[in-house]
Amino acid sequence: MAQRVPSTDLLQRIAALEAQVATLRRTGWERDELPLWPTNFTAMAFGDSTAFSTLWEGVMSPRTASLSLGLTLVGDQVSGTNTGGAWQVLFNGLVVWSGTVLPTFTVQYASTVLDLLPYRADSQLLVEIQTRRTAGASTGGRGGNGGSIGLSPRFARLL
């Protein structure tokens, strides 16, 4: 079996180490996507309830340090009345990120990086994305209960 004699030249050894570090840095940029599943049958999940309801969810084993999450949100308009609302992201039933949907009938984008370190010992982590209607029409609209809040994840990357 052939044996390799390590180089004694310092510059060659430094060059080899730099190449190895560059390779490690490139592999550190690889990201895994967390699949999130809609809880209804539409392409973009809509909710018209005044209580929080889950529109997207996924279960994972948290083996990374953080979750980079991006959302797309939009209100509704019923007979000239704009609908606003609120949304929240939950880990195992606890709210870890939340915000509002402005009653302006415009698309909004939200993104953040959520810390997964407190959940690393858990074998399963339930990730839920919920929304509710807080302002707008009370009748008509998509489901008949007034305006709807549309919510869709743009990305969910495990870092």
Side-chain angles (χ1 to χ4, degrees):
M1 177 183 272
Q3 293 183 351
R4 184 171 167 235
V5 178
S7 174
T8 57
D9 182 19
L10 181 61
L11 294 177
Q12 286 180 348
R13 292 175 60 197
I14 290 174
L17 286 173
E18 286 177 342
Q20 290 173 349
V21 168
T23 301
L24 289 173
R25 285 184 179 156
R26 280 192 300 276
T27 58
W29 284 103
E30 293 177 6
R31 296 180 173 129
D32 291 327
E33 291 286 331
L34 171 67
L36 294 169
W37 310 103
T39 58
N40 64 17
F41 300 110
T42 59
M44 183 170 190
F46 286 88
D48 59 5
S49 175
T50 56
F52 277 109
S53 59
T54 301
L55 299 183
W56 294 87
E57 65 184 6
V59 177
M60 62 176 279
S61 295
R63 299 296 173 249
T64 60
S66 57
L67 171 66
S68 177
L69 184 61
L71 304 176
T72 303
L73 309 125
V74 64
D76 197 0
Q77 190 177 61
V78 178
S79 301
T81 303
N82 289 328
T83 301
W87 57 269
Q88 60 186 15
V89 176
L90 293 86
F91 286 170
N92 286 343
L94 299 172
V95 177
V96 293
W97 185 37
S98 62
T100 60
V101 179
L102 301 175
T104 57
F105 196 52
T106 58
V107 177
Q108 296 172 258
Y109 301 101
S111 62
T112 193
V113 177
L114 300 168
D115 185 18
L116 294 178
L117 292 178
Y119 307 96
R120 294 278 302 263
D122 296 349
S123 61
Q124 292 184 351
L125 178 65
L126 174 62
V127 178
E128 296 176 272
I129 303 173
Q130 300 180 337
T131 188
R132 70 175 176 174
R133 179 173 50 87
T134 58
S138 57
T139 60
R142 186 176 184 87
N145 297 326
S148 300
I149 302 300
L151 187 147
S152 178
R154 289 184 296 139
F155 57 86
R157 294 183 190 107
L158 296 166
L159 305 176

